[in-house]
């Protein structure tokens, strides 16, 4: 009887515990880290639960030929992965037989650097400047020898420039004169204002002094009332004697 061939399959998942060990680097695979297993069965008679699992870190796993042939949907555990891990698995398998994740990362970095250098090279390429031929002797008039108009045009230009400069100087002088006159007017105004303020202050002080004097006088008059002089009445002696007798009789009656 011929022996049945062994069955080898693969699965990918996030580690459920941190007890599994990587067959390549001999280190434990941390929980929730991506790992790949080679599942080995001697024959179909062996149950899947009894199959031998050889675990690898995702970065330590080398792509076998079987995964490059089968559709990626048949890769056990792949549909349950998140989008980021699925993208990593696709990129790894696309690297071909024997590819590892560090190789894929290094290749992508190298490609990115090469693209960046190519772009920098294109930007640094010097652009040749096209020199324009400037017409020589633009100001020379070929008909000057015949007509003599060139010198007259130059003279006119010089005269215009001189006129413009003279008018500019005049306008500057006028502006300076106006500014000086305005400054003088402002000074006189400021002087008049200062004088007026001084006179106002003096008048205010005088008024205050006068008012204070009046108030003092009023206070003195209130505090010191005038003393009324009592007039002494001098009676003749006969009248005085009569009054004294009347007073004595009045006292006697009271007693």
């Amino acid at each position: 009887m011929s022996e049945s061939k062994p069955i080898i399959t693969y699965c990918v998942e996030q580690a459920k515990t941190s007890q599994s060990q990587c067959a390549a680097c001999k280190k434990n695979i941390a929980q929730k880290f991506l790992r790949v297993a080679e599942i080995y069965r001697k024959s179909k008679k062996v149950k899947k639960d009894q199959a031998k699992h050889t675990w690898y870190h995702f970065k330590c796993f080398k792509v076998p030929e079987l995964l490059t042939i089968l559709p990626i949907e048949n890769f056990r555990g792949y549909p349950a992965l998140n989008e980021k891990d699925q993208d990593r698995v696709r990129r790894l398998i696309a690297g071909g037989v024997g590819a590892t994740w560090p190789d894929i990362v290094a290749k992508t970095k190298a490609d990115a650097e090469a693209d960046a250098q190519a772009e920098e090279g294109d930007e640094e390429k010097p652009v040749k400047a096209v020199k324009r031929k400037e017409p020589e002797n633009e100001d020379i008039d070929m008909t000057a020898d015949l007509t003599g108009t060139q010198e007259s045009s130059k003279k006119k230009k010089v005269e215009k420039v001189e006129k413009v400069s003279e008018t500019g100087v005049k306008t500057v002088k006028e502006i300076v004169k106006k500014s000086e006159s305005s400054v003088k007017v402002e000074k006189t105004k400021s002087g008049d204002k200062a004088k007026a303020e001084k006179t106002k202050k003096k008048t205010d002080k005088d008024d205050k002094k006068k008012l204070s004097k009046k108030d003092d006088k009023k206070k003195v008059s209130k505090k010191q009332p005038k003393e009324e002089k009592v007039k002494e009445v001098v009676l003749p002696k006969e009248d005085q004697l009569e009054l004294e007798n009347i007073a004595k009789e009045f006292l006697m009656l009271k007693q």
Side-chain angles (χ1 to χ4, degrees):
M1 294 178 68
S2 60
E3 294 180 358
S4 60
K5 292 181 180 181
I7 299 168
I8 299 171
T9 56
Y10 297 90
C11 74
V12 61
E13 65 179 8
Q14 289 183 348
K16 296 175 183 178
T17 63
S18 58
Q19 294 177 359
S20 58
Q21 189 178 21
C22 178
C25 66
K26 306 299 180 184
K27 292 180 181 179
N28 288 341
I29 301 169
Q31 189 177 5
K32 293 185 179 179
F33 271 60
L34 198 63
R35 65 180 181 177
V36 183
E38 182 186 72
I39 303 169
Y40 177 82
R41 288 189 295 164
K42 288 183 179 180
S43 63
K44 291 182 179 181
K45 293 180 180 179
V46 178
K47 295 179 180 180
K48 292 181 180 180
D49 296 337
Q50 296 175 356
K52 182 183 178 182
H53 289 68
T54 304
W55 292 104
Y56 297 89
H57 285 107
F58 181 74
K59 64 181 180 179
C60 298
F61 179 71
K62 291 183 180 181
V63 178
E65 186 179 0
L66 179 63
L67 292 178
T68 60
I69 297 168
L70 294 173
I72 196 167
E73 288 78 11
N74 293 340
F75 191 8
R76 184 178 168 186
Y78 171 80
L81 297 176
N82 55 38
E83 292 182 0
K84 184 179 178 181
D85 290 338
Q86 285 182 354
D87 182 61
R88 292 168 70 189
V89 171
R90 284 196 300 270
R91 288 170 62 189
L92 178 63
I93 293 171
V97 179
T100 60
W101 181 245
D103 295 338
I104 301 298
V105 173
K107 188 178 179 181
T108 52
K109 284 183 179 179
D111 293 340
E113 289 176 358
D115 293 338
Q117 288 177 359
E119 288 177 0
E120 288 178 0
D122 293 337
E123 290 177 357
E124 291 176 358
K125 282 182 181 179
V127 179
K128 291 183 179 180
V130 179
K131 293 183 178 180
R132 294 181 180 178
K133 291 183 179 180
E134 296 180 356
E136 297 179 355
N137 300 325
E138 286 182 352
D139 297 332
I140 296 172
D141 190 357
M142 299 304 290
T143 60
D145 295 332
L146 298 172
T147 59
T149 56
Q150 186 178 1
E151 292 181 358
S152 62
S153 63
K154 286 183 179 179
K155 286 180 181 179
K156 287 179 181 179
K157 287 180 181 178
V158 172
E159 288 175 356
K160 285 181 180 179
V161 171
E162 289 178 353
K163 286 180 181 179
V164 170
S165 63
E166 287 176 359
T167 54
V169 171
K170 286 179 181 179
T171 53
V172 170
K173 287 180 178 179
E174 289 175 357
I175 290 164
V176 171
K177 286 180 180 179
K178 287 180 180 179
S179 63
E180 288 177 354
S181 62
S182 63
V183 169
K184 287 179 181 179
V185 171
E186 287 178 357
K187 284 182 179 180
T188 54
K189 286 181 179 179
S190 62
D192 295 336
K193 285 181 180 178
K195 287 179 181 179
E197 287 177 356
K198 285 181 180 180
T199 53
K200 281 182 180 180
K201 286 180 180 179
K202 286 181 180 179
T203 53
D204 292 337
K205 284 182 180 179
D206 295 334
D207 293 335
K208 285 180 180 179
K209 285 179 180 180
K210 288 177 181 179
L211 291 169
S212 63
K213 286 180 180 179
K214 288 180 180 180
D215 292 334
D216 293 335
K217 286 180 180 179
K218 287 179 180 179
K219 287 178 182 178
V220 170
S221 62
K222 286 179 180 179
K223 288 179 180 178
Q224 296 177 357
K226 291 181 179 180
E227 293 179 357
E228 293 180 356
K229 292 181 179 181
V230 179
K231 291 181 180 182
E232 293 181 358
V233 179
V234 180
L235 295 170
K237 288 181 179 181
E238 293 177 358
D239 293 334
Q240 283 183 358
L241 290 170
E242 286 181 2
L243 287 170
E244 287 177 358
N245 292 325
I246 291 165
K248 286 177 181 180
E249 288 177 359
F250 182 72
L251 290 169
M252 290 294 288
L253 290 169
K254 279 186 176 181
Q255 290 178 357

